[in-house]
Amino acid sequence: MPRAAGRQRHRVNVPAETPSQYWKRAMFLPFLDHLIQELTRRLVSNEDRFSAQYLIPTKLNGINQEVTNILFETFRNDLNVNNVAQFREEFERWIVRWDIAADPKPSTLSETLPVTNSDLYPNIYICLLILVTMPVTKATAERSFSVMRRVKTYVRSTMHTERLSSLFILHAYKHWEIDIEKVIDTFAVKKKRRLGFLFSDQN
């Protein structure tokens, strides 16, 4: 257990009788509290945004007037209509479009978005686009911080932002296939270099 003192600025000084009780109060319970807050802020607080999943053709049976009003109020600032009546009219056209469709109905967001005409159904397209781009986790941001420790070292600390960002991407997404020949061609034609990367027939 940490040393108990009346005043500690840089340590967690919680009252405890045993080491197990100390780590429970100092680490475990704060972690659970943080986890609950994050779930509430990211999922429960944005619950109305997830109502856009009812726009998926296989889930159109769940759409009613209440869902329509919730979607309109949630996405009001991003839509191209000023009142819920116009929004509801587009909904009705969207429902009819899939009632008469002979093709199999899309069942996921990734299948629905490409077949949604942004000119005929602009507001529905906006709702689907916002929902499909909502981050489920912050793993990408956390991965960037982990990569920074490995890429930006003491011997490589003076580099510009563009180069540092490019190295981050290359290191974090190693599974991406890169056309080496295309990279060399792009690098070679940027400016005139002493080393000849391209072979030309001009003499």
Side-chain angles (χ1 to χ4, degrees):
M1 291 178 59
R3 180 179 53 188
R7 183 180 183 184
Q8 291 185 4
R9 294 184 178 181
H10 305 292
R11 295 185 182 180
V12 179
N13 188 18
V14 294
E17 297 178 357
T18 62
S20 176
Q21 191 179 59
Y22 171 79
W23 288 108
K24 180 179 179 180
R25 294 176 179 178
M27 298 289 293
F28 181 69
L29 294 179
F31 171 75
L32 287 183
D33 183 58
H34 174 73
L35 183 63
I36 293 173
Q37 290 181 4
E38 287 293 308
L39 289 174
T40 302
R41 183 171 64 87
R42 293 177 179 273
L43 299 179
V44 179
S45 301
N46 293 317
E47 185 176 1
D48 292 341
R49 286 183 175 268
F50 291 101
S51 298
Q53 64 181 325
Y54 290 111
L55 297 174
I56 298 175
T58 55
K59 299 182 179 180
L60 289 176
N61 294 331
I63 289 184
N64 51 37
Q65 187 172 354
E66 181 181 358
V67 174
T68 306
N69 294 336
I70 290 175
L71 285 175
F72 178 75
E73 293 299 329
T74 303
F75 298 99
R76 176 193 289 268
N77 297 329
D78 301 304
L79 300 178
N80 298 323
V81 292
N82 299 323
N83 55 69
V84 68
Q86 296 177 347
F87 190 56
R88 193 175 294 117
E89 289 178 1
E90 186 172 326
F91 260 68
E92 293 174 354
R93 290 189 285 110
W94 179 250
I95 294 173
V96 173
R97 182 251 188 273
W98 290 109
D99 283 342
I100 62 177
D103 300 333
K105 297 181 180 180
S107 57
T108 62
L109 278 171
S110 58
E111 295 175 356
T112 305
L113 195 62
V115 298
T116 304
N117 192 319
S118 58
D119 295 326
L120 297 177
Y121 311 100
N123 299 295
I124 290 178
Y125 184 82
I126 290 173
C127 293
L128 292 173
L129 189 62
I130 293 175
L131 181 60
V132 80
T133 54
M134 285 184 64
V136 179
T137 66
K138 56 178 183 178
T140 302
E142 297 293 343
R143 188 185 298 116
S144 299
F145 289 115
S146 300
V147 170
M148 179 180 291
R149 298 175 185 176
R150 295 189 292 268
V151 173
K152 192 172 183 179
T153 62
Y154 289 105
V155 297
R156 196 191 292 147
S157 59
T158 55
M159 66 176 71
H160 295 291
T161 304
E162 184 178 357
R163 179 180 177 84
L164 185 62
S165 177
S166 300
L167 289 175
F168 278 1
I169 294 175
L170 288 173
H171 187 75
Y173 300 97
K174 297 178 181 178
H175 59 280
W176 286 3
E177 295 184 2
I178 300 176
D179 189 351
I180 303 298
E181 296 296 332
K182 186 176 181 181
V183 172
I184 294 175
D185 293 343
T186 304
F187 179 77
V189 300
K190 284 286 185 179
K191 63 179 181 179
K192 187 176 181 180
R193 305 179 187 277
R194 294 181 179 179
L195 184 62
F197 290 95
L198 298 178
F199 297 98
S200 61
D201 298 332
Q202 299 177 358
N203 293 322

